[in-house]
PDB file of all heavy atoms in Angstrom:
ATOM      1  N   PRO A 969      18.939 -20.725 -46.541  1.00  0.00           N
ATOM      2  CA  PRO A 969      17.843 -21.540 -46.020  1.00  0.00           C
ATOM      3  C   PRO A 969      17.728 -21.384 -44.503  1.00  0.00           C
ATOM      4  O   PRO A 969      18.748 -21.362 -43.805  1.00  0.00           O
ATOM      5  CB  PRO A 969      18.252 -22.966 -46.393  1.00  0.00           C
ATOM      6  CG  PRO A 969      19.257 -22.823 -47.487  1.00  0.00           C
ATOM      7  CD  PRO A 969      19.950 -21.526 -47.257  1.00  0.00           C
ATOM      8  N   LEU A 970      16.527 -21.276 -43.996  1.00  0.00           N
ATOM      9  CA  LEU A 970      16.339 -21.031 -42.572  1.00  0.00           C
ATOM     10  C   LEU A 970      16.788 -22.206 -41.704  1.00  0.00           C
ATOM     11  O   LEU A 970      16.920 -22.059 -40.500  1.00  0.00           O
ATOM     12  CB  LEU A 970      14.883 -20.670 -42.276  1.00  0.00           C
ATOM     13  CG  LEU A 970      14.364 -19.401 -42.968  1.00  0.00           C
ATOM     14  CD1 LEU A 970      12.964 -19.080 -42.488  1.00  0.00           C
ATOM     15  CD2 LEU A 970      15.287 -18.217 -42.753  1.00  0.00           C
ATOM     16  N   GLY A 971      17.050 -23.345 -42.294  1.00  0.00           N
ATOM     17  CA  GLY A 971      17.567 -24.490 -41.550  1.00  0.00           C
ATOM     18  C   GLY A 971      19.077 -24.483 -41.422  1.00  0.00           C
ATOM     19  O   GLY A 971      19.664 -25.434 -40.918  1.00  0.00           O
ATOM     20  N   GLU A 972      19.721 -23.418 -41.856  1.00  0.00           N
ATOM     21  CA  GLU A 972      21.177 -23.272 -41.777  1.00  0.00           C
ATOM     22  C   GLU A 972      21.540 -22.210 -40.748  1.00  0.00           C
ATOM     23  O   GLU A 972      20.699 -21.431 -40.319  1.00  0.00           O
ATOM     24  CB  GLU A 972      21.741 -22.868 -43.150  1.00  0.00           C
ATOM     25  CG  GLU A 972      21.500 -23.880 -44.249  1.00  0.00           C
ATOM     26  CD  GLU A 972      22.314 -25.144 -44.068  1.00  0.00           C
ATOM     27  OE1 GLU A 972      23.429 -25.071 -43.506  1.00  0.00           O
ATOM     28  OE2 GLU A 972      21.841 -26.214 -44.487  1.00  0.00           O
ATOM     29  N   ASP A 973      22.820 -22.163 -40.376  1.00  0.00           N
ATOM     30  CA  ASP A 973      23.311 -21.152 -39.429  1.00  0.00           C
ATOM     31  C   ASP A 973      23.181 -19.747 -40.024  1.00  0.00           C
ATOM     32  O   ASP A 973      23.434 -19.552 -41.226  1.00  0.00           O
ATOM     33  CB  ASP A 973      24.788 -21.389 -39.102  1.00  0.00           C
ATOM     34  CG  ASP A 973      25.024 -22.619 -38.250  1.00  0.00           C
ATOM     35  OD1 ASP A 973      24.064 -23.314 -37.889  1.00  0.00           O
ATOM     36  OD2 ASP A 973      26.204 -22.870 -37.942  1.00  0.00           O
ATOM     37  N   HIS A 974      22.832 -18.786 -39.174  1.00  0.00           N
ATOM     38  CA  HIS A 974      22.744 -17.380 -39.576  1.00  0.00           C
ATOM     39  C   HIS A 974      23.303 -16.497 -38.463  1.00  0.00           C
ATOM     40  O   HIS A 974      23.069 -16.761 -37.285  1.00  0.00           O
ATOM     41  CB  HIS A 974      21.296 -16.963 -39.832  1.00  0.00           C
ATOM     42  CG  HIS A 974      20.775 -17.380 -41.154  1.00  0.00           C
ATOM     43  ND1 HIS A 974      20.421 -18.676 -41.443  1.00  0.00           N
ATOM     44  CD2 HIS A 974      20.555 -16.668 -42.285  1.00  0.00           C
ATOM     45  CE1 HIS A 974      19.998 -18.744 -42.694  1.00  0.00           C
ATOM     46  NE2 HIS A 974      20.064 -17.531 -43.217  1.00  0.00           N
ATOM     47  N   LEU A 975      23.996 -15.466 -38.877  1.00  0.00           N
ATOM     48  CA  LEU A 975      24.430 -14.385 -37.990  1.00  0.00           C
ATOM     49  C   LEU A 975      23.740 -13.127 -38.490  1.00  0.00           C
ATOM     50  O   LEU A 975      23.965 -12.698 -39.625  1.00  0.00           O
ATOM     51  CB  LEU A 975      25.948 -14.224 -38.022  1.00  0.00           C
ATOM     52  CG  LEU A 975      26.544 -12.950 -37.414  1.00  0.00           C
ATOM     53  CD1 LEU A 975      26.075 -12.724 -35.991  1.00  0.00           C
ATOM     54  CD2 LEU A 975      28.054 -12.985 -37.494  1.00  0.00           C
ATOM     55  N   ILE A 976      22.859 -12.564 -37.667  1.00  0.00           N
ATOM     56  CA  ILE A 976      22.141 -11.345 -38.027  1.00  0.00           C
ATOM     57  C   ILE A 976      22.626 -10.224 -37.119  1.00  0.00           C
ATOM     58  O   ILE A 976      22.482 -10.294 -35.897  1.00  0.00           O
ATOM     59  CB  ILE A 976      20.620 -11.522 -37.901  1.00  0.00           C
ATOM     60  CG1 ILE A 976      20.153 -12.691 -38.772  1.00  0.00           C
ATOM     61  CG2 ILE A 976      19.904 -10.226 -38.285  1.00  0.00           C
ATOM     62  CD1 ILE A 976      18.673 -12.999 -38.650  1.00  0.00           C
ATOM     63  N   LEU A 977      23.184  -9.212 -37.732  1.00  0.00           N
ATOM     64  CA  LEU A 977      23.719  -8.049 -37.019  1.00  0.00           C
ATOM     65  C   LEU A 977      22.786  -6.866 -37.197  1.00  0.00           C
ATOM     66  O   LEU A 977      22.337  -6.587 -38.310  1.00  0.00           O
ATOM     67  CB  LEU A 977      25.109  -7.701 -37.569  1.00  0.00           C
ATOM     68  CG  LEU A 977      25.752  -6.428 -37.040  1.00  0.00           C
ATOM     69  CD1 LEU A 977      26.179  -6.613 -35.594  1.00  0.00           C
ATOM     70  CD2 LEU A 977      26.933  -6.026 -37.910  1.00  0.00           C
ATOM     71  N   PHE A 978      22.487  -6.198 -36.091  1.00  0.00           N
ATOM     72  CA  PHE A 978      21.749  -4.931 -36.103  1.00  0.00           C
ATOM     73  C   PHE A 978      22.774  -3.851 -35.743  1.00  0.00           C
ATOM     74  O   PHE A 978      22.997  -3.575 -34.553  1.00  0.00           O
ATOM     75  CB  PHE A 978      20.592  -4.989 -35.096  1.00  0.00           C
ATOM     76  CG  PHE A 978      19.532  -5.987 -35.472  1.00  0.00           C
ATOM     77  CD1 PHE A 978      19.660  -7.325 -35.131  1.00  0.00           C
ATOM     78  CD2 PHE A 978      18.419  -5.584 -36.191  1.00  0.00           C
ATOM     79  CE1 PHE A 978      18.694  -8.254 -35.478  1.00  0.00           C
ATOM     80  CE2 PHE A 978      17.431  -6.509 -36.554  1.00  0.00           C
ATOM     81  CZ  PHE A 978      17.583  -7.845 -36.201  1.00  0.00           C
ATOM     82  N   PRO A 979      23.452  -3.250 -36.741  1.00  0.00           N
ATOM     83  CA  PRO A 979      24.607  -2.390 -36.490  1.00  0.00           C
ATOM     84  C   PRO A 979      24.381  -1.209 -35.564  1.00  0.00           C
ATOM     85  O   PRO A 979      25.281  -0.822 -34.831  1.00  0.00           O
ATOM     86  CB  PRO A 979      25.003  -1.906 -37.893  1.00  0.00           C
ATOM     87  CG  PRO A 979      24.491  -2.968 -38.800  1.00  0.00           C
ATOM     88  CD  PRO A 979      23.216  -3.429 -38.168  1.00  0.00           C
ATOM     89  N   ASP A 980      23.185  -0.612 -35.570  1.00  0.00           N
ATOM     90  CA  ASP A 980      22.973   0.598 -34.765  1.00  0.00           C
ATOM     91  C   ASP A 980      22.263   0.322 -33.443  1.00  0.00           C
ATOM     92  O   ASP A 980      21.834   1.242 -32.759  1.00  0.00           O
ATOM     93  CB  ASP A 980      22.200   1.636 -35.567  1.00  0.00           C
ATOM     94  CG  ASP A 980      20.785   1.205 -35.922  1.00  0.00           C
ATOM     95  OD1 ASP A 980      20.506  -0.015 -35.876  1.00  0.00           O
ATOM     96  OD2 ASP A 980      19.958   2.070 -36.248  1.00  0.00           O
ATOM     97  N   LEU A 981      22.155  -0.937 -33.055  1.00  0.00           N
ATOM     98  CA  LEU A 981      21.412  -1.293 -31.852  1.00  0.00           C
ATOM     99  C   LEU A 981      22.335  -1.456 -30.655  1.00  0.00           C
ATOM    100  O   LEU A 981      23.430  -1.992 -30.766  1.00  0.00           O
ATOM    101  CB  LEU A 981      20.658  -2.604 -32.103  1.00  0.00           C
ATOM    102  CG  LEU A 981      19.679  -3.045 -31.029  1.00  0.00           C
ATOM    103  CD1 LEU A 981      18.533  -2.054 -30.910  1.00  0.00           C
ATOM    104  CD2 LEU A 981      19.157  -4.435 -31.366  1.00  0.00           C
ATOM    105  N   HIS A 982      21.868  -0.995 -29.498  1.00  0.00           N
ATOM    106  CA  HIS A 982      22.574  -1.218 -28.238  1.00  0.00           C
ATOM    107  C   HIS A 982      22.063  -2.517 -27.624  1.00  0.00           C
ATOM    108  O   HIS A 982      21.335  -3.268 -28.268  1.00  0.00           O
ATOM    109  CB  HIS A 982      22.380  -0.028 -27.305  1.00  0.00           C
ATOM    110  CG  HIS A 982      23.094   1.185 -27.786  1.00  0.00           C
ATOM    111  ND1 HIS A 982      24.386   1.464 -27.450  1.00  0.00           N
ATOM    112  CD2 HIS A 982      22.704   2.173 -28.623  1.00  0.00           C
ATOM    113  CE1 HIS A 982      24.773   2.577 -28.041  1.00  0.00           C
ATOM    114  NE2 HIS A 982      23.765   3.033 -28.766  1.00  0.00           N
ATOM    115  N   HIS A 983      22.402  -2.809 -26.399  1.00  0.00           N
ATOM    116  CA  HIS A 983      22.016  -4.050 -25.715  1.00  0.00           C
ATOM    117  C   HIS A 983      20.508  -4.052 -25.502  1.00  0.00           C
ATOM    118  O   HIS A 983      20.004  -3.553 -24.487  1.00  0.00           O
ATOM    119  CB  HIS A 983      22.772  -4.133 -24.377  1.00  0.00           C
ATOM    120  CG  HIS A 983      22.642  -5.439 -23.703  1.00  0.00           C
ATOM    121  ND1 HIS A 983      23.401  -6.519 -24.055  1.00  0.00           N
ATOM    122  CD2 HIS A 983      21.834  -5.857 -22.704  1.00  0.00           C
ATOM    123  CE1 HIS A 983      23.085  -7.556 -23.296  1.00  0.00           C
ATOM    124  NE2 HIS A 983      22.122  -7.168 -22.464  1.00  0.00           N
TER     125      HIS A 983
END
Side-chain angles (χ1 to χ4, degrees):
L970 299 186
E972 298 290 329
D973 289 0
H974 280 75
L975 166 54
I976 303 177
L977 174 71
F978 294 85
D980 65 341
L981 188 65
H982 290 271
H983 190 81

